[in-house]
Amino acid sequence: MRRISSWFGLGVLVLLFGCAGTAVEPNGDPLTKLNDAELLFRQQDQPVLAEKLIRQAIDLYAERRDAHGLGNAYREYADFLRSDSLSGKWEAYYREHGFQDRTVTYANRMAKSSEYYTRALGYYARAETQLREAKKFGPLTNVYFNMAMSYHQLQQDKKACEYFDRTIDAYKENLRLNPAANPYSPTGSVPGLVDSLKKQAGCG
């Protein structure tokens, strides 16, 4: 499988549609919890706290019946289960204590990660319908991007390429309807980011 850069869709979510704090705050905002969790397990070697925040976000989004949010939260948990933060000194901890999802073990975490990506895709599909009907093409851009990345993680690159193309279509429609919008990415432009990721995924 061709490897796409380790930073993932939630980073683009933050950059496209608002800023998030970097400190962990004890609040009830599930998006803040996911952003904090991302930093904790990717950059700060604190997977235990990261997992706690992700599971809290899942519960909050479930209470709100927020399909887009649940897609993000399940995808984040899938990322977490595949992350390098679970190796090294944390391997012994998770082998002994397990995960908050008690069906996950250290040995089966990769397979369970795939289940979480698949679950995320189901919620993203629901969110897609809702956002398209509401003509909310900004958030829809993000949904498509995260669907593309999830399909890539599942080694379904044909589907990933399809959703990268949908990402750009939604992005363009958002700019058409909202000329003052100023979305951006770490590469300087959303099309530039998507084009780079398409090449890494082997899209034609």
Side-chain angles (χ1 to χ4, degrees):
M1 179 181 74
R2 298 176 181 85
R3 180 171 175 79
I4 282 180
S5 56
S6 60
W7 75 273
F8 206 73
L10 194 64
V12 152
L13 177 79
V14 175
L15 292 167
L16 283 173
F17 305 113
C19 296
T22 57
V24 177
E25 300 177 1
N27 62 45
D29 176 38
L31 179 57
T32 298
K33 291 178 184 293
L34 292 182
N35 289 323
D36 288 340
E38 177 100 1
L39 290 174
L40 286 165
F41 75 79
R42 289 205 187 279
Q43 300 179 22
Q44 299 178 13
D45 195 28
Q46 296 188 52
V48 176
L49 180 54
E51 183 185 17
K52 179 180 179 181
L53 292 175
I54 296 169
R55 301 306 303 187
Q56 289 175 357
I58 289 172
D59 290 342
L60 287 167
Y61 281 129
E63 289 175 6
R64 300 175 187 183
R65 298 182 180 180
D66 184 334
H68 189 180
L70 279 169
N72 288 335
Y74 283 129
R75 184 203 47 71
E76 191 72 29
Y77 199 60
D79 291 352
F80 165 79
L81 292 176
R82 294 194 180 192
S83 71
D84 294 339
S85 68
L86 302 184
S87 59
K89 70 179 183 180
W90 291 106
E91 178 177 350
Y93 174 89
Y94 278 102
R95 286 191 183 277
E96 179 179 355
H97 299 286
F99 295 82
Q100 290 196 19
D101 178 345
R102 306 312 294 179
T103 69
V104 180
T105 66
Y106 197 83
N108 75 4
R109 71 190 189 285
M110 298 302 285
K112 286 293 183 178
S113 173
S114 293
E115 291 181 13
Y116 272 95
Y117 284 125
T118 300
R119 194 179 303 182
L121 285 165
Y123 281 105
Y124 282 138
R126 296 185 197 179
E128 174 191 11
T129 299
Q130 296 167 356
L131 293 170
R132 183 167 287 282
E133 289 177 352
K135 299 187 183 301
K136 294 182 177 179
F137 290 96
L140 185 62
T141 300
N142 178 256
V143 166
Y144 284 147
F145 180 87
N146 281 309
M147 292 179 80
M149 297 293 277
S150 296
Y151 277 120
H152 173 73
Q153 292 297 95
L154 292 170
Q155 301 186 44
Q156 297 181 36
D157 280 342
K158 183 176 180 180
K159 294 290 289 186
C161 295
E162 173 188 340
Y163 279 92
F164 279 133
D165 288 340
R166 292 191 186 192
T167 300
I168 295 302
D169 290 343
Y171 167 82
K172 290 178 178 178
E173 184 64 9
N174 182 47
L175 290 183
R176 187 184 72 81
L177 295 175
N178 304 285
N182 187 31
Y184 65 102
S185 79
T187 64
S189 74
V190 174
L193 170 65
V194 172
D195 184 61
S196 175
L197 293 174
K198 285 178 67 175
K199 290 177 181 177
Q200 292 181 55
C203 301

